[in-house]
Amino acid sequence: MPVSTSDSHGSAPFRIVHTVCSHDCPDSCAVLVTVNAEGRAVKVEGDPSHPVTQGFLCGKVAKYLDRVYSPQRILQPLKRKAGVAKGPLTKGREMDAFEPVSWDEALDAIAARLKQVAEDYGPESILPYSYAGTIGVLGYGSMDRRFFHRLGASQLDRTICAEAGGQAWNLVYGRKLGTPNEDFPKAKLIVAWGGNIHGTNIHLWPFVEQARRNGARLIVIDPYRTRTAALADWHIPIRPGTDAALAMGMMHVILREGLEDRPYIDEMTHGFAELADRAREYTPEKVAAWTGLTASEIEQLAREYATTRPAVLRMNYGVQRSQNGGTAVRAIAMLPALTGAWKHAGGGAQLSMSGAFRWNSKEIERPDLMLASPLKRAARVVNMSRLGHALTELGNEPKEGPRVHALFVYNSNAAAVAPNQNAVRRGLEREDLFTVVHEQFLTDTTDFADYVLPATTFLEHDDIQGAYGHYFVQRSHQAIAPLGEARSNVWLFGQLAKRMGFTEACFRDTPEDMIRQALNPGENGHSRNAGMEHITPELLAEQGHIALRFQGQSTVAGHMPFLPFSQGAVPTPSGRIEFFSEALKAAGQDPLPSFVPPVESRLGPDAGRFPLEFLPRKADNYMNTTFANMDGHRRMEAKTNHRLEIHATDALARGIADGDAVRVWNDRGSLELTALVSDRVATGVVAGRLDWGKLSPGGQNVNVLTSERLTDIGKAATFYSTLVEVAKA
Ligand SMILES: Nc1nc2c(c(=O)[nH]1)N[C@H]1C(S)=C(S)[C@@H](COP(=O)(O)OP(=O)(O)OC[C@H]3O[C@@H](n4cnc5c(=O)[nH]c(N)nc54)[C@H](O)[C@@H]3O)O[C@H]1N2
Ligand SMILES: Nc1nc2c(c(=O)[nH]1)N[C@H]1C(S)=C(S)[C@@H](COP(=O)(O)OP(=O)(O)OC[C@H]3O[C@@H](n4cnc5c(=O)[nH]c(N)nc54)[C@H](O)[C@@H]3O)O[C@H]1N2
Ligand code: SF4
Ligand SMILES: [Mo]
């Protein structure tokens, strides 16, 4: 029963449809859409019955109908006009480069070209490029994965966001689970470590506030004074990329003062003696020099953390974007295991809960289809965080396989979000590269497309979704008909499969079929996925959202508390929480955490040439680059759009005054911005904002300055390890 009908709004009947915000946000809000008799959505609101959404939406999505019904939406397939070179277009003038075509014409042409490229260069010369435009299970990766697997296209290693932290967490705990939000009010200490809760994870905030009303303290560890930091009891402005050192320094103090939980350590962990030896090297004095804090601040933090119960760490993703971000996350993740914080409801840690959702992904993604491709084997893997390299250099060495000759972008504004933007652009400008982009808007990336295909929003298609910031399985019902000729990701790849002549039955699956497959019901109709055994597809369709249950324990507060990692076996190789990793040792890496400064940092070899550490930040009012083209959202970012935040000391040293035009550069590129003299950053640190390039002066964004260097664990992007110099323009 997808909708509840009501005509209480007047004479015409309105329907209220349960959807799920599918933007790349930990909150995955339950969104109720009111649809009028003409089938038009007239209102979006947070579902009051969802315990985490709590009836409100963030400022970005509260205005969602402006986006859905924006006159700038792409509503027809577009083809590049003959003779128009690829490259940045002026916003609003994009149609000079394109002409509308029918879906049939576009799909036939794309299928023909993909066949040709596969024949001429091998199927691995085709590269899919997608990330998290939607995080619905079907929209994020289902029919598309089947299609590219069957084709034999290169596989994409999706590392741009969460791989360093995810792999690091799993080295310690084996599974991405965390303290439920609903238990945060019981905490007496909350540490937001590299997490801007108020900006990027707003639905955790009411639980934080409730805890504070109950007497909890909030500590924020962040080199930038975010909204969250400004609201904290204590803001610790750590030097970028030095978190591993701080975590080790805290361990040093905890162990020196005997504040660890020995019985918990003995029962639950592996490698304590080795870790204790390592931590001994990290004296507060040494750590102070690296982190920019004082030794007594480090001691105070360690004592407060280890002696307050319950204590919870909300690590978000900021830490892992440094070159040593994997190790940093790993070291921080060990802290609650040292103090036994997991034992207390409201204690523990949260990085991502995505490991709680065990979809039947083999069936959804069908990796086995690679064996039915012309390759008859698994295709090569290309790292998305090195897109520039993939488009300009990959294939120069024969052993790397073919050059990339076709690029299929969906769910991503690749030209804006990938690091080393100048290399990315050089690649996208190649006239011999065939590029297709499936999008809702004419972004920086569509400027380089041969074909642009119109995509639906989450109001316009069906999906099922988990979350990385709570424990609810949710059903997103299609609320309105697709606008114009917009079509979903599932539809697009099903159509292309047909035109490629793929005959496997899975290419004819409907969204409804795939939702069932994801839930994997057994004979009694109940899901066979761990944690979802109480869920049937019908029940979920009716209720909209249902909390996971583990070992009979509900993950929602008010029931028996769900206390991950508090007792019993842990899904690591040793069956215990791992301070020492035999797996890392076997791979020739340091089995224990240690602090290695990023190459691009104040402590690295390039510090003399480029003295400032650059934070190319997300905007609180955009979602990565999504919403950056919406006037209402832009107005909310007006104070920081195109600004370079710089401390007064660094500004003075360069003769820069607030409002001056400045040039920011390093070996990879250069940007013109306007100085914003600000004490939100410390001396030696400057900050900018992610935005659409074509809405920025000079047509490019902060990623011209970031590098393709990868993290120590997870081969992920290192946006926050970037050195620059600044001068008055
Ligand atoms: N409003 C809004 N919400 C979003 C997004 C958005 O763009 N806008 N993006 C979504 C996505 S894709 C993600 S991955 C999540 C990310 O959510 P968060 O992880 O909260 O976001 P970030 O801003 O990447 O990083 C958090 C903080 O880490 C800090 N930081 C940078 N370097 C370091 C460091 O070396 N050490 C420490 N301790 N802190 C550091 C940054 O200054 C930043 O304030 O948010 C999601 N939600
Ligand atoms: N400098 C810097 N760079 C960063 C980051 C940073 O903090 N600083 N953050 C990084 C992180 S954490 C992430 S996750 C990445 C995010 O990188 P992306 O996932 O590329 O994020 P967006 O910029 O939000 O672009 C998503 C696009 O998908 C489109 N879209 C939405 N729904 C659908 C759909 O159903 N179908 C299709 N086909 N398209 C859809 C949207 O219109 C939007 O243009 O960026 C990374 N880049
Ligand atoms: S972006 Fe995040 S906070 Fe905003 S509505 Fe979507 S899920 Fe909720
Ligand atoms: Mo992300």
Short mmCIF file of all heavy atoms in Angstrom, two decimals, residues 198-241:
data_model
loop_
_atom_site.label_atom_id
_atom_site.label_comp_id
_atom_site.label_asym_id
_atom_site.label_seq_id
_atom_site.Cartn_x
_atom_site.Cartn_y
_atom_site.Cartn_z
N HIS A 198 26.46 19.41 12.62
CA HIS A 198 25.42 20.41 12.36
C HIS A 198 25.30 20.73 10.87
O HIS A 198 24.22 21.08 10.39
CB HIS A 198 25.72 21.68 13.16
CG HIS A 198 24.51 22.50 13.43
ND1 HIS A 198 24.01 23.40 12.51
CD2 HIS A 198 23.69 22.54 14.49
CE1 HIS A 198 22.94 23.97 13.01
NE2 HIS A 198 22.71 23.46 14.20
N GLY A 199 26.37 20.57 10.12
CA GLY A 199 26.33 20.90 8.69
C GLY A 199 25.99 19.71 7.81
O GLY A 199 25.27 19.85 6.83
N THR A 200 26.52 18.52 8.13
CA THR A 200 26.43 17.40 7.18
C THR A 200 25.61 16.23 7.70
O THR A 200 25.43 15.25 7.00
CB THR A 200 27.85 16.86 6.85
OG1 THR A 200 28.45 16.42 8.06
CG2 THR A 200 28.71 17.93 6.22
N ASN A 201 25.11 16.31 8.91
CA ASN A 201 24.49 15.14 9.57
C ASN A 201 23.50 15.68 10.60
O ASN A 201 23.47 15.28 11.74
CB ASN A 201 25.68 14.37 10.21
CG ASN A 201 25.33 13.12 10.99
OD1 ASN A 201 26.14 12.69 11.81
ND2 ASN A 201 24.18 12.54 10.79
N ILE A 202 22.64 16.59 10.12
CA ILE A 202 21.82 17.41 11.02
C ILE A 202 20.86 16.59 11.88
O ILE A 202 20.51 17.00 12.99
CB ILE A 202 21.07 18.50 10.21
CG1 ILE A 202 20.34 19.50 11.12
CG2 ILE A 202 20.10 17.92 9.21
CD1 ILE A 202 21.22 20.44 11.86
N HIS A 203 20.47 15.39 11.41
CA HIS A 203 19.51 14.61 12.21
C HIS A 203 20.13 13.90 13.40
O HIS A 203 19.42 13.31 14.21
CB HIS A 203 18.72 13.64 11.31
CG HIS A 203 17.78 14.38 10.43
ND1 HIS A 203 18.18 14.93 9.23
CD2 HIS A 203 16.48 14.73 10.59
CE1 HIS A 203 17.16 15.56 8.69
NE2 HIS A 203 16.12 15.46 9.49
N LEU A 204 21.43 13.97 13.53
CA LEU A 204 22.05 13.51 14.79
C LEU A 204 21.97 14.62 15.84
O LEU A 204 22.02 14.37 17.04
CB LEU A 204 23.51 13.09 14.54
CG LEU A 204 24.27 12.52 15.74
CD1 LEU A 204 23.56 11.28 16.31
CD2 LEU A 204 25.70 12.17 15.34
N TRP A 205 21.87 15.85 15.36
CA TRP A 205 21.99 17.00 16.26
C TRP A 205 20.95 17.01 17.39
O TRP A 205 21.30 17.27 18.55
CB TRP A 205 21.98 18.30 15.45
CG TRP A 205 22.34 19.47 16.29
CD1 TRP A 205 21.51 20.46 16.72
CD2 TRP A 205 23.63 19.77 16.84
NE1 TRP A 205 22.19 21.35 17.50
CE2 TRP A 205 23.50 20.96 17.60
CE3 TRP A 205 24.88 19.14 16.78
CZ2 TRP A 205 24.57 21.53 18.27
CZ3 TRP A 205 25.96 19.71 17.45
CH2 TRP A 205 25.78 20.89 18.19
N PRO A 206 19.66 16.74 17.11
CA PRO A 206 18.69 16.74 18.23
C PRO A 206 19.07 15.76 19.34
O PRO A 206 18.83 16.05 20.52
CB PRO A 206 17.37 16.31 17.56
CG PRO A 206 17.55 16.68 16.13
CD PRO A 206 19.00 16.49 15.82
N PHE A 207 19.69 14.64 18.98
CA PHE A 207 20.11 13.67 20.00
C PHE A 207 21.30 14.23 20.79
O PHE A 207 21.43 13.99 21.99
CB PHE A 207 20.49 12.34 19.34
CG PHE A 207 19.34 11.68 18.61
CD1 PHE A 207 19.28 11.69 17.22
CD2 PHE A 207 18.31 11.07 19.31
CE1 PHE A 207 18.23 11.09 16.54
CE2 PHE A 207 17.25 10.46 18.64
CZ PHE A 207 17.21 10.48 17.25
N VAL A 208 22.16 14.96 20.10
CA VAL A 208 23.30 15.60 20.78
C VAL A 208 22.78 16.65 21.76
O VAL A 208 23.23 16.73 22.91
CB VAL A 208 24.25 16.24 19.74
CG1 VAL A 208 25.33 17.07 20.41
CG2 VAL A 208 24.86 15.17 18.84
N GLU A 209 21.81 17.42 21.29
CA GLU A 209 21.26 18.46 22.16
C GLU A 209 20.59 17.87 23.40
O GLU A 209 20.72 18.39 24.50
CB GLU A 209 20.23 19.29 21.39
CG GLU A 209 20.88 20.28 20.46
CD GLU A 209 19.87 21.33 19.99
OE1 GLU A 209 18.76 20.92 19.60
OE2 GLU A 209 20.21 22.52 20.03
N GLN A 210 19.88 16.76 23.16
CA GLN A 210 19.22 16.10 24.29
C GLN A 210 20.26 15.64 25.30
O GLN A 210 20.08 15.82 26.51
CB GLN A 210 18.45 14.90 23.76
CG GLN A 210 17.10 14.69 24.40
CD GLN A 210 16.39 13.53 23.70
OE1 GLN A 210 16.37 13.44 22.47
NE2 GLN A 210 15.82 12.65 24.50
N ALA A 211 21.36 15.08 24.81
CA ALA A 211 22.43 14.64 25.72
C ALA A 211 22.99 15.82 26.50
O ALA A 211 23.24 15.73 27.70
CB ALA A 211 23.54 13.96 24.91
N ARG A 212 23.14 16.94 25.82
CA ARG A 212 23.70 18.12 26.50
C ARG A 212 22.75 18.64 27.56
O ARG A 212 23.17 19.09 28.62
CB ARG A 212 24.06 19.20 25.48
CG ARG A 212 25.14 18.72 24.52
CD ARG A 212 25.45 19.75 23.47
NE ARG A 212 26.45 20.70 23.95
CZ ARG A 212 26.82 21.79 23.26
NH1 ARG A 212 26.24 22.06 22.11
NH2 ARG A 212 27.75 22.58 23.74
N ARG A 213 21.46 18.56 27.25
CA ARG A 213 20.49 18.96 28.29
C ARG A 213 20.59 18.03 29.50
O ARG A 213 20.34 18.43 30.63
CB ARG A 213 19.06 18.93 27.72
CG ARG A 213 18.73 20.18 26.89
CD ARG A 213 17.22 20.34 26.69
NE ARG A 213 16.64 19.25 25.93
CZ ARG A 213 16.61 19.20 24.59
NH1 ARG A 213 17.10 20.20 23.87
NH2 ARG A 213 16.08 18.16 23.96
N ASN A 214 20.99 16.78 29.24
CA ASN A 214 21.19 15.84 30.34
C ASN A 214 22.58 15.97 30.96
O ASN A 214 23.00 15.11 31.72
CB ASN A 214 21.01 14.39 29.85
CG ASN A 214 19.61 14.13 29.31
OD1 ASN A 214 18.68 14.84 29.65
ND2 ASN A 214 19.48 13.11 28.48
N GLY A 215 23.32 16.99 30.56
CA GLY A 215 24.61 17.24 31.19
C GLY A 215 25.83 16.81 30.41
O GLY A 215 26.95 16.88 30.91
N ALA A 216 25.65 16.34 29.16
CA ALA A 216 26.82 15.89 28.40
C ALA A 216 27.63 17.09 27.90
O ALA A 216 27.08 18.18 27.69
CB ALA A 216 26.36 15.06 27.21
N ARG A 217 28.93 16.85 27.69
CA ARG A 217 29.77 17.84 27.03
C ARG A 217 30.02 17.42 25.59
O ARG A 217 30.08 16.24 25.27
CB ARG A 217 31.10 17.96 27.77
CG ARG A 217 31.13 19.15 28.75
CD ARG A 217 32.27 19.06 29.73
NE ARG A 217 33.59 19.04 29.11
CZ ARG A 217 34.29 20.13 28.77
NH1 ARG A 217 33.79 21.35 28.94
NH2 ARG A 217 35.51 20.02 28.26
N LEU A 218 30.17 18.43 24.72
CA LEU A 218 30.47 18.18 23.31
C LEU A 218 31.85 18.75 23.00
O LEU A 218 32.11 19.93 23.21
CB LEU A 218 29.43 18.85 22.41
CG LEU A 218 29.74 18.82 20.90
CD1 LEU A 218 29.70 17.39 20.34
CD2 LEU A 218 28.76 19.70 20.11
N ILE A 219 32.72 17.86 22.51
CA ILE A 219 34.06 18.28 22.09
C ILE A 219 34.16 18.08 20.58
O ILE A 219 33.72 17.05 20.07
CB ILE A 219 35.15 17.44 22.80
CG1 ILE A 219 35.06 17.62 24.32
CG2 ILE A 219 36.54 17.82 22.29
CD1 ILE A 219 36.04 16.77 25.11
N VAL A 220 34.69 19.07 19.88
CA VAL A 220 34.85 18.96 18.43
C VAL A 220 36.33 19.05 18.07
O VAL A 220 37.01 20.00 18.49
CB VAL A 220 34.05 20.06 17.70
CG1 VAL A 220 34.35 20.04 16.21
CG2 VAL A 220 32.54 19.88 17.93
N ILE A 221 36.80 18.05 17.34
CA ILE A 221 38.21 18.04 16.90
C ILE A 221 38.22 18.29 15.40
O ILE A 221 37.85 17.41 14.61
CB ILE A 221 38.86 16.69 17.24
CG1 ILE A 221 38.72 16.40 18.75
CG2 ILE A 221 40.33 16.68 16.81
CD1 ILE A 221 39.24 15.02 19.17
N ASP A 222 38.58 19.48 15.00
CA ASP A 222 38.45 19.87 13.60
C ASP A 222 39.34 21.09 13.36
O ASP A 222 39.30 22.04 14.13
CB ASP A 222 36.97 20.24 13.32
CG ASP A 222 36.64 20.34 11.83
OD1 ASP A 222 37.43 20.96 11.08
OD2 ASP A 222 35.59 19.84 11.42
N PRO A 223 40.15 21.07 12.29
CA PRO A 223 41.01 22.23 12.03
C PRO A 223 40.23 23.48 11.64
O PRO A 223 40.79 24.57 11.56
CB PRO A 223 41.90 21.76 10.87
CG PRO A 223 41.21 20.60 10.28
CD PRO A 223 40.36 19.98 11.33
N TYR A 224 38.95 23.31 11.37
CA TYR A 224 38.11 24.43 10.92
C TYR A 224 37.02 24.65 11.96
O TYR A 224 36.44 23.68 12.47
CB TYR A 224 37.48 24.07 9.57
CG TYR A 224 36.65 25.15 8.95
CD1 TYR A 224 37.23 26.11 8.12
CD2 TYR A 224 35.28 25.21 9.19
CE1 TYR A 224 36.45 27.10 7.54
CE2 TYR A 224 34.50 26.21 8.63
CZ TYR A 224 35.09 27.15 7.80
OH TYR A 224 34.32 28.13 7.22
N ARG A 225 36.74 25.91 12.29
CA ARG A 225 35.66 26.15 13.24
C ARG A 225 34.32 26.10 12.51
O ARG A 225 33.81 27.09 12.02
CB ARG A 225 35.83 27.48 14.00
CG ARG A 225 35.03 27.44 15.33
CD ARG A 225 35.24 28.67 16.19
NE ARG A 225 34.55 29.79 15.62
CZ ARG A 225 35.11 30.97 15.33
NH1 ARG A 225 36.38 31.17 15.56
NH2 ARG A 225 34.39 31.93 14.81
N THR A 226 33.77 24.91 12.42
CA THR A 226 32.48 24.67 11.75
C THR A 226 31.36 25.20 12.62
O THR A 226 31.57 25.59 13.77
CB THR A 226 32.25 23.15 11.58
OG1 THR A 226 32.29 22.56 12.88
CG2 THR A 226 33.31 22.51 10.71
N ARG A 227 30.14 25.13 12.09
CA ARG A 227 28.95 25.44 12.90
C ARG A 227 28.95 24.55 14.14
O ARG A 227 28.62 24.98 15.23
CB ARG A 227 27.67 25.13 12.09
CG ARG A 227 27.43 26.06 10.95
CD ARG A 227 25.94 26.26 10.63
NE ARG A 227 25.21 25.08 10.21
CZ ARG A 227 24.50 25.00 9.07
NH1 ARG A 227 24.49 26.01 8.23
NH2 ARG A 227 23.81 23.92 8.78
N THR A 228 29.31 23.29 13.95
CA THR A 228 29.32 22.34 15.06
C THR A 228 30.36 22.76 16.10
O THR A 228 30.08 22.77 17.30
CB THR A 228 29.66 20.93 14.52
OG1 THR A 228 28.96 20.74 13.30
CG2 THR A 228 29.29 19.86 15.52
N ALA A 229 31.54 23.13 15.61
CA ALA A 229 32.61 23.52 16.53
C ALA A 229 32.23 24.78 17.31
O ALA A 229 32.51 24.90 18.51
CB ALA A 229 33.91 23.75 15.75
N ALA A 230 31.59 25.71 16.62
CA ALA A 230 31.20 26.96 17.29
C ALA A 230 30.19 26.71 18.40
O ALA A 230 30.11 27.47 19.35
CB ALA A 230 30.62 27.93 16.25
N LEU A 231 29.43 25.62 18.27
CA LEU A 231 28.41 25.30 19.27
C LEU A 231 28.93 24.37 20.37
O LEU A 231 28.19 24.01 21.28
CB LEU A 231 27.21 24.64 18.58
CG LEU A 231 26.39 25.55 17.66
CD1 LEU A 231 25.51 24.72 16.71
CD2 LEU A 231 25.53 26.50 18.49
N ALA A 232 30.21 23.98 20.29
CA ALA A 232 30.73 22.97 21.21
C ALA A 232 31.17 23.57 22.54
O ALA A 232 31.36 24.78 22.66
CB ALA A 232 31.91 22.25 20.55
N ASP A 233 31.33 22.68 23.54
CA ASP A 233 31.90 23.12 24.81
C ASP A 233 33.41 23.33 24.67
O ASP A 233 33.99 24.14 25.35
CB ASP A 233 31.64 22.05 25.89
CG ASP A 233 30.16 21.87 26.13
OD1 ASP A 233 29.55 22.81 26.70
OD2 ASP A 233 29.60 20.84 25.73
N TRP A 234 34.01 22.56 23.80
CA TRP A 234 35.45 22.67 23.61
C TRP A 234 35.76 22.37 22.15
O TRP A 234 35.44 21.27 21.68
CB TRP A 234 36.17 21.69 24.54
CG TRP A 234 37.67 21.78 24.53
CD1 TRP A 234 38.45 22.77 24.02
CD2 TRP A 234 38.58 20.79 25.06
NE1 TRP A 234 39.78 22.48 24.21
CE2 TRP A 234 39.88 21.28 24.85
CE3 TRP A 234 38.41 19.56 25.71
CZ2 TRP A 234 41.02 20.56 25.26
CZ3 TRP A 234 39.53 18.85 26.11
CH2 TRP A 234 40.83 19.36 25.90
N HIS A 235 36.34 23.32 21.45
CA HIS A 235 36.78 23.08 20.07
C HIS A 235 38.29 22.91 20.07
O HIS A 235 39.02 23.78 20.53
CB HIS A 235 36.37 24.25 19.16
CG HIS A 235 36.97 24.14 17.79
ND1 HIS A 235 37.30 25.23 17.01
CD2 HIS A 235 37.32 23.04 17.05
CE1 HIS A 235 37.82 24.82 15.87
NE2 HIS A 235 37.84 23.51 15.87
N ILE A 236 38.75 21.80 19.54
CA ILE A 236 40.19 21.52 19.46
C ILE A 236 40.62 21.66 18.01
O ILE A 236 40.36 20.78 17.18
CB ILE A 236 40.47 20.09 19.99
CG1 ILE A 236 40.00 19.98 21.45
CG2 ILE A 236 41.94 19.74 19.82
CD1 ILE A 236 40.16 18.60 22.05
N PRO A 237 41.27 22.77 17.67
CA PRO A 237 41.62 23.00 16.25
C PRO A 237 42.92 22.29 15.87
O PRO A 237 43.97 22.91 15.72
CB PRO A 237 41.77 24.52 16.18
CG PRO A 237 42.19 24.92 17.57
CD PRO A 237 41.68 23.89 18.52
N ILE A 238 42.81 21.00 15.68
CA ILE A 238 43.98 20.17 15.37
C ILE A 238 44.55 20.56 14.01
O ILE A 238 43.83 21.01 13.12
CB ILE A 238 43.55 18.68 15.37
CG1 ILE A 238 44.75 17.75 15.29
CG2 ILE A 238 42.56 18.40 14.23
CD1 ILE A 238 44.37 16.28 15.48
N ARG A 239 45.87 20.38 13.84
CA ARG A 239 46.50 20.56 12.52
C ARG A 239 45.98 19.49 11.56
O ARG A 239 45.90 18.31 11.94
CB ARG A 239 48.00 20.38 12.65
CG ARG A 239 48.69 21.56 13.24
CD ARG A 239 49.14 22.43 12.10
NE ARG A 239 49.26 23.81 12.55
CZ ARG A 239 49.26 24.84 11.72
NH1 ARG A 239 49.13 24.66 10.43
NH2 ARG A 239 49.38 26.05 12.18
N PRO A 240 45.66 19.83 10.32
CA PRO A 240 45.16 18.82 9.39
C PRO A 240 46.13 17.63 9.28
O PRO A 240 47.36 17.82 9.28
CB PRO A 240 45.11 19.56 8.05
CG PRO A 240 44.99 21.00 8.40
CD PRO A 240 45.73 21.17 9.70
N GLY A 241 45.55 16.43 9.22
CA GLY A 241 46.36 15.24 8.95
C GLY A 241 47.18 14.73 10.12
O GLY A 241 48.07 13.89 9.92
#
